[in-house]
Amino acid sequence: LRDISLSVAPGKTLGIIGKTGSGKTTLVKLLLRIYDPPEGTIFINGQDIRDVTLQSLRDQIAYVPQDGFLFSTTLRDNIAFSDRSAPYEKVELASKQAQLYHNVIEFPDRFETKLGERGITLSGGQRQRTSLARGFIKNAPILILDDSVSAVDAVTETNIINNLRETRADKTTIIIAHRISALKHADEIIVLDEGRIVQRGTHEQLMAEDGLYASLYSIQEEGTRYAEGN
């Protein structure tokens, strides 16, 4: 990563997009201190994240990776991972926000359904939405979605994004995605390429430029039209 400079105000959404290997996940792993950033480079509310404990930092962040780890326990315990004492109503609400609830009620044991190793009893989309529900229920000041809707269809993605916008209107959200549809609503979008920010702006501003963002959008739209035609 080089020449990265950005600021995200409370209640705003930042979108991050770029080709594979451009540095998107590396950037948020620095925020989580999975990789330690240099001193004096990353601040939350004006405080250097190197000056706080890892627990206090990560308590403020809900991180939903593309392939979230699910445990061989109940669906309820997997969703309520950040607070095992969370009441059933909160678990149910989080599952609805993540567009998982309609699947859960079809299981004989519903939220008490025991998952196999790494959630093998669920489909890829269901595993991803279980991880999303885990992020929703934590209700942290900062939510990071790291390509977390890649395994869902376009309608489900739209519903999840709408729920995000509604429930996190006063909180900070960072969305990493390969699909522009998942982050086009963001207040600011940065485009990474080889570790640098090569474009930044709103969806409309970036579409007006002759750059990587518009090229990615054109490729994705062409792919969508081809899929619909077949």
Side-chain angles (χ1 to χ4, degrees), residues 3-8 14 16 27 174 188 190 192 197 200:
D3 308 321
I4 302 291
S5 177
L6 59 96
S7 177
V8 188
L14 172 71
I16 305 175
L27 184 58
I174 299 173
E188 182 180 29
I190 61 169
L192 289 179
I197 298 175
R200 67 197 313 159

Side-chain angles (χ1 to χ4, degrees), residues 30 33 35-43 46-52:
L30 286 168
R33 285 186 62 191
Y35 306 138
D36 253 340
E39 193 172 348
T41 56
I42 301 179
F43 300 85
Q47 186 164 20
D48 190 333
I49 65 170
R50 291 282 299 266
D51 294 338
V52 299

Side-chain angles (χ1 to χ4, degrees), residues 120-183:
I120 198 169
T121 49
L122 302 178
S123 70
Q126 289 168 347
R127 288 197 297 271
Q128 200 167 70
R129 283 176 282 138
T130 300
S131 295
L132 275 166
R134 187 186 283 173
F136 272 112
I137 202 171
K138 189 172 182 181
N139 199 29
I142 300 170
L143 172 65
I144 300 172
L145 303 184
D146 190 352
D147 212 18
S148 309
V149 291
S150 59
V152 303
D153 60 76
V155 173
T156 303
E157 176 191 277
T158 299
N159 291 335
I160 290 170
I161 296 301
N162 288 339
N163 289 338
L164 273 174
R165 297 177 72 179
E166 182 179 331
T167 59
R168 297 193 57 81
D170 59 342
K171 296 181 176 68
T172 303
T173 305
I174 299 173
I175 301 176
I176 296 174
H178 284 96
R179 293 201 306 233
I180 286 176
S181 56
L183 48 69

Side-chain angles (χ1 to χ4, degrees), residues 182-201:
L183 48 69
K184 62 190 294 187
H185 68 285
D187 298 289
E188 182 180 29
I189 300 166
I190 61 169
V191 184
L192 289 179
D193 191 31
E194 297 184 358
R196 286 186 167 89
I197 298 175
V198 294
Q199 287 181 283
R200 67 197 313 159

